Amino acid sequence: MNTPQEAHLYKRVAIPDEFLNDTAGRSWGGDIRIGDLTGNGTADFLVYKSLGGIHPCFLGAFTLEGEPLWSLGDKRLETRDIDAEATTLKTLSPDRPGPVAIYDIDADGQAEVICFWIDSDIAQASKWDLSAICLMILDGATGAVKRSIVSEALQQCDADAEGERHIPNYVHQRLMIANFSGNPQPQDFVVKVGVNVLAFNHNLELLWQHTDRWFRYPKHSAYIPAVGDFNGDGLDEVNGGNFGLAADGTVLWDKYLGENIDSVLVEEWNGENRAILSGGGQIVDAEGNSVFSLGFDVVPHGQEIRYGNLLPDASPNLVIRYNGHHPDLMVVDNNGQIRSRFRVDETPNNTGLEVIRWHGLGNPELTYSPAALYDGEGNKVVTFPELPPPTGGKMGWYHCFPADVCGDAREEVILYDPYSDAVYIYTPHPFDPDLFEGYQHTARQYNARLID
C-alpha cells in the first residue's frame, strides 16, 4: 500500500485572543463558520459560543490572517437556569454546530450573518426552549444589526414532544439557506428545532411551519434536513427523511421510511435531483416513493451519507457511514452497486464525513473522515501534518469545511476543533499562490453539513 501524501499546510489561522475563553488552562474558541464577510474576495471566519451550549450569545469575526473584524455579545455570559434551582447556565462551545450562517440573504452583494441570538441582559433562561431567542441579520463586515425580530412561532419551539423531552433531536438545531420565494438567488431560510421546521424570508417574516411527528429514536426523521429542488419546479423543497415539504410548506410525504435516517441530501441521481436518505441507503422521488434502496440489512444504521465523484469513472457516488457511530464506510455507484467497503480511523464520535474536490472538478474526489482523506477504494491517501491531537469528547475532533480558499479551482480542507484556538487550512501539492482567483462562497459552505 502506498504511503499517504502529506498535505501542504497553507495556513494556521489563530483565533484572536479576545475571542477565546480559557477553561482549566486550555484556550478555546467555539464553533466556526466561513465566508467572505468583508467583500474583498478572500475567506473570513466567524467563531461563536452559546449559552448552555445551545443559544448563541457571542460572535467574533476575523480575517484569514487572524485579525479581528468585530465581535458581538458576551463570551462569559451566565444567567440563572430556570430548570435547575440555584444553578447557572454558562457560555460554552456549542453542543452541536448550530443556527448560524454566513450568506448574502438580502441580495445586496455583501455577506450577512443570520443567526439565533440570546440577549445578554437576560435574567434567566432554559436551554431546552427558545423563549428567550430572537432572529438576527448582521452586516458581515461590521457586525451591525440590520434586522432583528422576536418570532412568537420560533420562541414556542422546545425540546419536548408528547410530554417527553427529546434532547438528541433538539440539540441538532440548524439554519439552512433556501429559495422558497422564487427570487433570482436564494433569499429564504429554514430552521429546524426539535420537531419544528419553520421557513422565513429575508425580512424575517414567517412563511410557514411544519411539525414533524417522526421524532422517537430510532424511528426519527433526519437530525438536519436538506434543501434543494427535487420536484423540478425551480424552487427548493425540504428533505427531512420521513417527511418532504414543498416550497410553500405543503407536505409532499409524511411516512415512516425506516430506522436511523440520521442524514439526508438533495443531489442529482441518474439525471434527476432526488431526495437521498442515509437509513437503508435510499433514494426517493418527490412523493417519497422509492427509486432505489440498498436495504437495512446492508445499511443497518445510516449515520452519515455524502455525495461525490469518488471513482475514476466520474459518475456520482454515495459514501455511507453505514453502521452507526463506527468507522465503517461504503462507496456505492450510480447503478446501486457497492464498489468498496473500508474502515477509516477511529475518532471520538465517529462522525464528520465530507467529500472534498481535492484535485479540482472533473477528477476523482476524496472522502474526509477525521482527520485524513481516503480514495474511493478506501486507501488513506492524504494526511495533515502539524495538526495537534484533537481534544477528545463528543465534539472534540476536527470538523471540516470543503472550500476553495486558495482560489486555484481545487478545494482546500479547513479544519477546526471547537475546543481549540486555531483553524487549519490544508491544500494539495503543488501550491502556487499566483493562481489565486478569489474565494467562492457556495452552498457547500453556507449549508455545510458538519455533523449528523
Side-chain angles (χ1 to χ4, degrees):
M1 182 175 175
N2 294 332
T3 302
Q5 181 186 48
E6 287 193 342
H8 172 70
L9 178 57
Y10 169 64
K11 201 173 290 287
R12 176 191 183 275
V13 184
I15 300 172
D17 289 343
E18 55 264 51
F19 298 167
L20 297 173
N21 286 48
D22 189 86
T23 302
R26 171 176 287 160
S27 294
W28 56 272
D31 201 24
I32 296 289
R33 295 291 182 270
I34 186 173
D36 182 2
L37 292 168
T38 63
N40 67 352
T42 61
D44 302 300
F45 295 99
L46 185 76
V47 64
Y48 75 95
K49 313 171 200 291
S50 295
L51 183 71
I54 296 291
H55 301 325
C57 65
F58 174 85
L59 298 167
F62 56 105
T63 70
L64 195 62
E65 305 304 321
E67 296 297 325
L69 292 169
W70 53 264
S71 66
L72 183 70
D74 183 352
K75 69 178 185 179
R76 297 185 179 88
L77 181 64
E78 293 187 29
T79 193
R80 189 174 76 83
D81 186 351
I82 293 174
D83 302 307
E85 189 175 349
T87 62
T88 60
L89 292 176
K90 300 181 184 296
T91 297
L92 306 169
S93 184
D95 286 355
R96 294 290 194 281
V100 179
I102 298 174
Y103 179 73
D104 179 14
I105 194 71
D106 60 10
D108 67 349
Q110 301 295 318
E112 284 82 41
V113 175
I114 310 101
C115 64
F116 289 8
W117 191 251
I118 190 163
D119 193 327
S120 297
D121 295 328
I122 196 76
Q124 60 183 16
S126 168
K127 66 185 293 183
W128 305 121
D129 66 52
L130 301 190
S131 61
I133 288 293
C134 70
L135 275 173
M136 289 201 315
I137 297 176
L138 309 177
D139 182 274
T142 67
V145 178
K146 300 182 74 169
R147 192 176 295 271
S148 177
I149 67 152
V150 173
S151 166
E152 182 178 345
L154 186 65
Q155 287 196 325
Q156 290 175 351
C157 298
D158 57 33
D160 297 331
E162 296 184 0
E164 299 177 4
R165 185 158 289 174
H166 295 264
I167 292 174
N169 193 19
Y170 175 79
V171 298
H172 287 86
Q173 298 177 11
R174 194 55 63 90
L175 187 157
M176 309 286 286
I177 307 301
N179 191 344
F180 299 133
S181 302
N183 295 312
Q185 71 176 58
Q187 285 189 257
D188 310 302
F189 60 94
V190 61
V191 299
K192 180 268 181 187
V193 181
V195 300
N196 305 285
V197 181
L198 298 87
F200 294 87
N201 64 19
H202 65 283
N203 292 316
L204 301 183
E205 297 167 328
L206 180 67
L207 299 175
W208 49 261
Q209 62 187 102
H210 172 79
T211 301
D212 176 24
R213 65 192 179 103
W214 306 102
F215 53 82
R216 296 187 182 278
Y217 186 88
K219 298 180 179 180
H220 56 277
S221 297
Y223 286 131
I224 304 166
V227 297
D229 180 11
F230 55 78
N231 68 0
D233 65 354
L235 302 174
D236 284 336
E237 289 75 51
V238 177
N239 174 17
N242 288 324
F243 66 88
L245 306 174
D248 62 359
T250 300
V251 175
L252 299 173
W253 74 84
D254 181 11
K255 57 187 175 182
Y256 175 61
L257 292 176
E259 291 189 355
N260 299 118
I261 301 179
D262 292 3
S263 176
V264 293
L265 305 170
V266 177
E267 298 285 358
E268 184 273 328
W269 192 257
N270 287 334
E272 295 186 65
N273 273 9
R274 298 292 193 185
I276 299 174
L277 323 179
S278 63
Q282 300 180 71
I283 297 172
V284 301
D285 65 16
E287 286 77 44
N289 300 313
S290 180
V291 172
F292 166 77
S293 176
L294 287 170
F296 286 86
D297 55 335
V298 177
V299 184
H301 185 148
Q303 187 66 41
E304 295 177 287
I305 193 164
R306 299 292 182 263
Y307 172 95
N309 295 329
L310 300 168
L311 299 168
D313 56 17
S315 297
N317 315 122
L318 299 175
V319 57
I320 309 173
R321 193 182 297 268
Y322 63 89
N323 194 27
H325 288 277
H326 294 280
D328 305 306
L329 303 185
M330 66 170 64
V331 172
V332 181
D333 68 21
N334 66 331
N335 294 313
Q337 299 299 308
I338 298 172
R339 298 285 290 271
S340 61
R341 293 178 186 260
F342 55 96
R343 290 173 64 86
V344 293
D345 291 340
E346 287 271 3
T347 56
N349 201 42
N350 282 318
T351 50
L353 202 63
E354 294 296 342
V355 169
I356 312 295
R357 295 166 183 165
W358 190 247
H359 300 298
L361 288 173
N363 296 299
E365 297 160 6
L366 302 179
T367 296
Y368 171 84
S369 184
L373 296 180
Y374 299 81
D375 66 18
E377 296 179 349
N379 301 306
K380 184 191 293 186
V381 292
V382 178
T383 58
F384 305 112
E386 301 180 50
L387 190 67
T391 55
K394 194 87 170 172
M395 293 290 290
W397 41 270
Y398 283 101
H399 302 241
C400 172
F401 285 104
D404 183 7
V405 170
C406 297
D408 61 1
R410 303 178 299 180
E411 280 186 338
E412 279 65 54
V413 169
I414 295 89
L415 301 180
Y416 70 96
D417 177 340
Y419 299 104
S420 73
D421 60 359
V423 178
Y424 293 81
I425 304 173
Y426 291 91
T427 194
H429 293 286
F431 168 63
D432 183 354
D434 293 334
L435 295 177
F436 181 75
E437 294 183 353
Y439 167 75
Q440 299 296 317
H441 197 52
T442 74
R444 286 170 64 76
Q445 292 76 50
Y446 59 75
N447 282 347
R449 301 301 304 176
L450 292 174
I451 187 174
D452 294 296

